[in-house]
Amino acid sequence: MPNFPTPFNLSVLDGSSPPFQALIEHSADLITLLDRQGRILYQSPSAHRHFGCDRNPVPGQYHVNLDYLHPEDRERINQQVLHAPPGATVSLCPYRVRHADGHWRWLEGTAINLLDDPGVRGILVQARDVTARVQSEQRARALEGLSTALASANTTEEVVQVILVQGLEAVGAVAGGVVQHDVNEQRFRVLGSAGYPERIERPWRDFPLDAPIPATDAIRDGLDLFLTRQDWHTLYPHLQHVHAATTGSNAVLSLRVNGQVTGALTLSFGENRDLGETERQYLRTVAAQCALALERGELHARLQRQERHYRKLAEYSYDLVSIIAPDGTTRYISHAAGRMLGYAPEERLGVKVFEGIHPDDREEATRAFQQVIETPDTPVLVTYRFRHKEGHWVWLESTGTHALHDPDVRGVVINTRDVTGRIKAEQARRASEQRLQLFGEQSDTLIRIFSPGGTCLYASPAAQTMLGYTPGELLRSQVDEWIHPEDRAALRAALAAHTPVPPYRMRRRDGTYLWVESSARTVTDEAGGLVEVYVATRDITPRKEAEDALRTQLRRFQHLVNLTAEFAVQEASEQHIQTALDHCIDLTPYTYGFYVPVDGTALAEPLRAGQATDALLGRIAPLMNAHGSGELCGALRRLKPFFAGPGQAVFSAPEPLPRPVWTSLAVLPVVARGVLRGLMVFGTDDPVEVDGDTRRLLLGVSEQASRAVERSAHLQELKQSREETLRALGLALEYRDYETKGHTDRVVQHTERLGRALGFSGPDLDALRWGAFLHDTGKVAIPDAILLKPGRLTPEEWDVIQRHPRIGYEMLHHIPSLPPVTLEVVLHHQERWNGSGYPGGLAGTDIPLAARVFAVVDVYDALTSERPYKKAWTPEEAAEQLRKESGVLLDERIVDVFLRILTQENAAPAPTGEVSA
């Protein structure tokens, strides 16, 4: 065992004075006594507050104090403390000691070598915690250095680089990144990052606003996030793979400029701890500095782009820009001078602006220049000829602006463009205008010429014959002034895109519209600029009317085809008849219609379409009687359609014409197997003469409706026949098992009512009912000795009985008309909720719903039926037994619904003519 010194007793420092000992024990300063090797002989209780643990030695164990020092401070403190002269007091500069949670605390104090004092035999170190002061000084120095570096960075790239190098170092982060909010694309992009592995950093260089990561949460909500490792795993469990094992806490600081969040600064620290408010405020200060620097870098880049933009505009502009002194001397001229006039810019500097202007135009140009100087607020436009350097003349158009008061200009700014092509085009137009006018006078095509702005410059005489306007009335009008409002947008779009103009409507003088078709041709100058637009317009009204008539016919035919298809593949129903009525109202002049079903000699509730009302039906109902008189009644007796116009009477005693309602009408019989089954009646209060196409359409619809009704009646007969056949099979089984007389009808009736209450309908309800008819089909294969045995069955006989569901299924599943739901009832009606049933031992919801429904009914009927071995239970006793088996042998939900149905049936009086069970 090592020879450790005797444990130190505090009383040696001041005898055994209790006040002194209490002072030492409760001192906020850290008091430590070390031996020659630096081992702790004593340490005051304040060590727990400073280091998070008690480092006082325990008997037989001594801790070397230097082990807890920061490696960079260890040699210095060792030299100062352990090698101090005896009796000398040494001041200790700030040094770092590791806290129990792993972070470093800064201490400062003194050390006294009392090794030669026989009562002490140690080195007394007194220290105080100066972490806050040291870190504050470090932050101030780091912030000052960062501010200086950011101030010297001009571009965004330089600012980001400073943040990732000096910024991360200033805040003590091991990794970080700068995220910017791209407002235009509504995304975030990373301007730069450092310290993150590439596999983690690469997927997040660009991400959408709704990405579930800390950066989007901070930017979107305008908040700063400070996350420990535990916070990260709790809030972002899907990002655990991103959080490196060596990374401790994280921070996301929003970057704000003028109150707007422009991005975020992401930081990762090596230690895992909750940052204090002072540290958080320091990080926010750093983020504010970074945000301002980034904004300044962006502004710098924007100014540079604008400067390059304006320089390029002046360099590449096709127009010529020049600045002229008040005496006419050229002080500046843009590069377009070479392209437009053949001169390099320096060749015109210092030259009078009027040199080179055509002699015939010089006086006008001089007068315009003088006008600009005298009227500062009015730009002046002048057109003139200028001699090109190669000797030919070019037409120029210049706009002069007074800018003598502007200290950056101090001259007249002249913007000049080459209009040679336009002038020549105008001259050519004027030369050809007479030829065009002669052609237009002899043509029925309307010729118009429009300026680039859309103003009519010329209209041919065909305007009179086509529109009723004189050519002069069309002049100065806009290209779409006479166009129907619904067609203007399409016309403008076609002219702007230089695509073929679609047919459109033009208004005549009398207010009516005609359909026209136009072709447009553009005239451009040498530079490609638009000079004029030539539009030739033809009247296509007859062709358009013929196309509309054809489309109407095709539309009617398509509707008839669609109706035919619907009636052909489905049973006739009120919905299909209603659809036919609606189609006929849309495709014919009639405004209201009825379909009146005929049940024997009575008229059932009608269907309506259009503006049909009870009052209208009441006016026509007396006529729809095959036994009455008049043309309409005679047509009905012959099962023939009847059409009446406004001048044709329909009553036996002719009524005053025209009729105020049913002014025009059509009555079409719907016939099945030579019997009148219904009437389709259409009418309108307007005087309409129905054409042959409308008659053929209505006749076709009534014929299709007749076929559909006949087919529906046939299908109904087939369904009734199938229903009776299935019931006969069930009764045949019942007669064989004579002890269950009436069982089939009872279970079918109860099953259908229960199925409806549980939501079965249509084909599903039919299939459930058929399953009730056929559920015991398999019993035909059970010997009479077993099936009709009055006593208890032996286990072997019971095994035979349990085969009947599967036998029934095997007998029936080859019949294609039986749906799966029916077969499920046959196969599984003996399965039980707890799995104790047969043949499959299914349990719970694994048992098909239809089989669970029938099982409840089957058990109830078995309980209430008399058997050789038991008397019939009362309904109340059977209901109580169902409640006991609910949730055990039978589906609890279905039992509850069934018992509710039984309660309602027992409470309601029996309907007339029906004997209560």
Side-chain angles (χ1 to χ4, degrees):
M1 293 288 293
N3 184 21
F4 292 114
T6 302
F8 175 73
N9 189 342
L10 183 63
S11 63
V12 303
L13 294 179
D14 190 38
S16 58
S17 172
F20 176 77
Q21 185 170 353
L23 179 65
I24 295 297
E25 294 290 337
H26 295 88
S27 174
D29 289 349
L30 177 66
I31 298 175
T32 306
L33 191 68
L34 306 175
D35 65 5
R36 294 181 184 276
Q37 286 74 37
R39 293 177 298 187
I40 299 175
L41 301 176
Y42 168 81
Q43 200 163 49
S44 63
S46 61
H48 193 279
R49 180 171 61 84
H50 288 290
F51 306 131
C53 64
D54 187 3
R55 291 183 180 160
N56 284 325
V58 297
Q61 296 183 9
Y62 295 89
H63 304 277
V64 179
N65 186 54
L66 299 181
D67 291 347
Y68 298 95
L69 291 175
H70 194 285
E72 297 177 1
D73 302 332
R74 190 173 298 165
E75 183 177 353
R76 173 171 57 85
I77 297 301
N78 178 65
Q79 185 68 28
Q80 287 182 302
V81 174
L82 301 183
H83 298 84
T89 299
V90 179
S91 295
L92 303 177
C93 295
Y95 59 95
R96 288 159 287 185
V97 179
R98 186 169 62 247
H99 192 273
D101 63 8
H103 70 275
W104 298 96
R105 306 291 298 176
W106 285 92
L107 300 180
E108 180 184 71
T110 59
I112 304 175
N113 187 343
L114 299 176
L115 291 170
D116 295 339
D117 188 321
V120 180
R121 299 292 185 183
I123 302 172
L124 183 65
V125 180
Q126 182 177 1
R128 67 187 61 86
D129 191 330
V130 294
T131 303
R133 190 196 76 198
V134 173
Q135 289 181 345
S136 177
E137 293 172 353
Q138 290 176 338
R139 293 191 189 106
R141 288 193 299 272
L143 188 58
E144 181 180 0
L146 178 61
S147 300
T148 302
L150 290 174
S152 62
N154 293 321
T155 67
T156 301
E157 291 76 12
E158 292 174 352
V159 172
V160 171
Q161 188 61 28
V162 169
I163 294 174
L164 296 179
V165 176
Q166 291 179 251
L168 296 185
E169 182 180 352
V171 300
V174 296
V178 181
V179 180
Q180 184 184 53
H181 181 196
D182 191 331
V183 179
N184 295 328
E185 297 185 6
Q186 290 298 299
R187 294 182 66 81
F188 297 119
R189 60 189 181 94
V190 177
L191 299 181
S193 64
Y196 295 116
E198 186 179 1
R199 65 177 180 81
I200 295 177
E201 181 266 344
R202 187 189 304 109
W204 300 104
R205 293 174 182 171
D206 182 274
F207 49 92
L209 292 175
D210 57 354
I213 60 176
T216 57
D217 293 343
I219 296 174
R220 185 175 56 251
D221 300 334
L223 302 174
D224 297 328
L225 300 180
F226 301 95
L227 308 170
T228 63
R229 184 183 290 116
Q230 293 76 17
D231 296 335
W232 182 283
H233 291 166
T234 301
L235 298 175
Y236 304 99
H238 57 286
L239 297 178
Q240 293 193 33
H241 64 285
V242 174
H243 201 284
T246 57
T247 302
S249 55
N250 290 267
V252 182
L253 305 166
S254 58
L255 301 176
R256 295 175 176 269
V257 177
N258 298 325
Q260 298 293 324
V261 179
T262 60
L265 180 64
T266 64
L267 301 172
S268 296
F269 300 94
E271 298 178 3
N272 179 36
R273 62 189 181 89
D274 191 4
L275 301 177
E277 185 56 35
T278 301
E279 295 173 288
R280 294 186 180 190
Q281 192 58 42
Y282 173 68
L283 293 179
R284 292 189 180 100
T285 303
V286 171
Q289 293 276 8
C290 295
L292 291 174
L294 288 169
E295 177 68 8
R296 188 176 64 252
E298 182 62 27
L299 290 175
H300 177 78
R302 196 178 306 161
L303 289 174
Q304 286 188 327
R305 288 195 299 270
Q306 290 179 350
E307 182 180 352
R308 291 194 302 270
H309 175 71
Y310 292 132
R311 189 182 302 117
K312 295 298 182 182
L313 283 179
E315 182 177 347
Y316 292 109
S317 174
Y318 194 81
D319 288 352
L320 176 64
V321 180
S322 56
I323 299 176
I324 310 301
D327 62 356
T329 303
T330 302
R331 292 171 49 189
Y332 168 80
I333 190 167
S334 65
H335 288 78
R339 185 167 51 251
M340 188 178 296
L341 305 176
Y343 294 98
E346 55 270 16
E347 294 181 275
R348 294 295 298 177
L349 293 179
V351 178
K352 295 291 185 181
V353 68
F354 308 109
E355 294 184 14
I357 296 180
H358 194 285
D360 296 343
D361 304 331
R362 188 171 300 165
E363 182 179 353
E364 182 180 0
T366 303
R367 186 167 54 252
F369 182 78
Q370 192 62 34
Q371 183 180 352
V372 172
I373 295 178
E374 295 174 355
T375 55
D377 298 330
T378 306
V380 178
L381 177 68
V382 63
T383 302
Y384 56 93
R385 286 161 289 183
F386 195 94
R387 184 185 297 275
H388 195 275
K389 187 175 182 180
E390 296 177 355
H392 62 275
W393 296 97
V394 295
W395 281 93
L396 302 179
E397 186 177 75
S398 296
T399 302
T401 304
H402 186 285
L404 294 170
H405 59 281
D406 191 322
D408 296 326
V409 180
R410 297 190 183 281
V412 176
V413 178
I414 299 179
N415 292 278
T416 303
R417 64 177 54 188
D418 187 344
V419 294
T420 304
R422 191 190 73 192
I423 297 298
K424 290 183 177 180
E426 290 177 355
Q427 293 171 345
R429 179 183 61 80
R430 285 192 293 269
S432 63
E433 194 170 284
Q434 292 181 343
R435 297 193 298 272
L436 181 62
Q437 183 174 359
L438 179 62
F439 169 76
E441 291 174 353
Q442 304 300 320
S443 173
D444 58 356
T445 299
L446 174 60
I447 306 296
R448 288 172 294 168
I449 301 175
F450 294 93
S451 68
T455 302
C456 183
L457 306 176
Y458 168 79
S460 70
Q464 183 72 49
T465 57
M466 183 181 295
L467 302 175
Y469 298 104
T470 64
E473 290 178 299
L474 297 186
L475 295 180
R476 316 313 301 173
S477 64
Q478 292 297 306
V479 65
D480 58 358
E481 187 169 337
W482 314 102
I483 309 303
H484 194 287
E486 295 177 0
D487 301 335
R488 289 176 183 172
L491 177 65
R492 291 172 185 165
L495 292 176
H498 305 296
T499 57
V501 179
Y504 58 94
R505 289 160 287 183
M506 292 189 70
R507 188 178 70 249
R508 295 187 180 95
R509 178 183 288 277
D510 61 7
T512 62
Y513 285 90
L514 74 159
W515 281 95
V516 299
E517 187 175 67
S518 295
S519 58
R521 183 174 66 87
T522 57
V523 179
T524 58
D525 56 23
E526 294 180 354
L530 180 63
V531 177
E532 290 175 341
V533 179
Y534 289 66
V535 179
T537 304
R538 294 170 294 280
D539 184 356
I540 61 167
T541 303
R543 189 189 80 189
K544 191 69 175 176
E545 291 175 348
E547 291 175 351
D548 290 344
L550 179 59
R551 276 193 293 270
T552 300
Q553 287 293 94
L554 291 175
R555 182 164 166 258
R556 288 178 171 177
F557 176 76
Q558 185 61 50
H559 279 288
L560 186 58
V561 170
N562 292 341
L563 284 173
T564 302
E566 290 183 17
F567 282 134
V569 300
Q570 300 183 31
E571 296 182 20
S573 65
E574 288 189 355
Q575 181 180 358
H576 297 122
I577 299 295
Q578 184 67 58
T579 301
L581 287 176
D582 294 336
H583 280 306
C584 290
I585 293 298
D586 290 341
L587 299 174
T588 67
Y590 297 113
T591 56
Y592 45 81
F594 297 89
Y595 173 74
V596 185
V598 177
D599 182 12
T601 59
L603 297 180
E605 182 65 23
L607 302 177
R608 293 172 170 82
Q611 304 169 3
T613 64
D614 290 336
L616 287 171
L617 182 63
R619 294 290 295 272
I620 197 68
L623 297 178
M624 294 183 293
N625 182 0
H627 302 291
S629 59
E631 292 187 40
L632 174 57
C633 297
L636 292 180
R637 284 193 295 272
R638 299 190 302 274
L639 304 180
K640 297 295 183 182
F642 178 80
F643 294 89
Q648 180 180 355
V650 295
F651 289 93
S652 57
E655 70 277 13
L657 300 177
R659 290 173 295 277
V661 294
W662 294 99
T663 306
S664 300
L665 64 90
V667 181
L668 303 112
V670 175
V671 180
R673 297 181 181 177
V675 177
L676 182 66
R677 297 299 183 92
L679 297 172
M680 301 182 75
V681 188
F682 300 96
T684 177
D685 298 342
D686 298 323
V688 174
E689 293 293 344
V690 178
D691 57 22
D693 291 335
T694 299
R695 293 188 179 219
R696 284 189 290 273
L697 172 67
L698 293 176
L699 291 174
V701 171
S702 66
E703 289 174 2
Q704 293 298 332
S706 296
R707 295 193 187 98
V709 169
E710 184 169 353
R711 181 171 177 268
S712 176
H714 180 65
L715 291 175
Q716 189 62 34
E717 291 175 357
L718 290 177
K719 289 174 63 176
Q720 184 64 30
S721 176
R722 176 171 55 184
E723 192 81 10
E724 293 174 355
T725 300
L726 294 177
R727 181 174 182 272
L729 287 175
L731 291 176
L733 295 170
E734 179 181 304
Y735 292 148
R736 180 169 182 260
D737 189 5
Y738 57 86
E739 292 179 338
T740 57
K741 179 69 173 176
H743 170 70
T744 299
D745 287 338
R746 289 194 302 273
V747 296
V748 168
Q749 182 183 33
H750 283 309
T751 300
E752 186 165 16
R753 291 178 181 173
L754 180 56
R756 290 182 186 278
L758 291 170
F760 284 78
S761 62
D764 289 337
L765 185 61
D766 291 340
L768 179 63
R769 186 174 63 255
W770 299 341
F773 278 133
L774 302 174
H775 69 282
D776 277 340
T777 300
K779 286 186 178 180
V780 300
I782 304 302
D784 290 347
I786 296 176
L787 183 65
L788 305 178
K789 183 178 180 179
R792 184 176 301 276
L793 299 177
T794 66
E796 293 78 11
E797 292 171 336
W798 183 242
D799 287 341
V800 174
I801 285 292
Q802 289 182 340
R803 297 175 192 166
H804 84 271
R806 192 171 300 280
I807 294 173
Y809 175 81
E810 293 297 329
M811 293 173 62
L812 299 174
H813 84 278
H814 297 294
I815 301 175
S817 61
L818 291 180
V821 172
T822 299
L823 299 176
E824 289 173 354
V825 174
V826 173
L827 180 60
H828 296 295
H829 69 277
Q830 292 293 346
E831 302 286 359
R832 292 297 177 258
W833 186 258
N834 61 3
S836 63
Y838 60 87
L842 302 182
T845 55
D846 289 341
I847 306 171
L849 176 60
R852 283 182 273 145
V853 170
F854 180 77
V856 173
V857 174
D858 195 30
V859 169
Y860 178 78
D861 190 75
L863 292 173
T864 55
S865 298
E866 184 174 355
R867 299 294 172 89
Y869 49 86
K870 79 173 184 68
K871 293 182 179 181
W873 291 25
T874 66
E876 293 75 13
E877 292 172 337
E880 183 61 29
Q881 182 62 26
L882 288 181
R883 291 188 185 93
K884 293 179 181 179
E885 297 183 5
S886 174
V888 180
L889 301 178
L890 302 173
D891 188 326
E892 181 178 6
R893 181 176 68 94
I894 297 174
V895 170
D896 290 342
V897 175
F898 183 65
L899 293 178
R900 187 165 61 249
I901 293 173
L902 293 178
T903 301
Q904 294 171 351
E905 290 178 351
N906 293 332
T912 302
E914 180 179 333
V915 179
S916 174

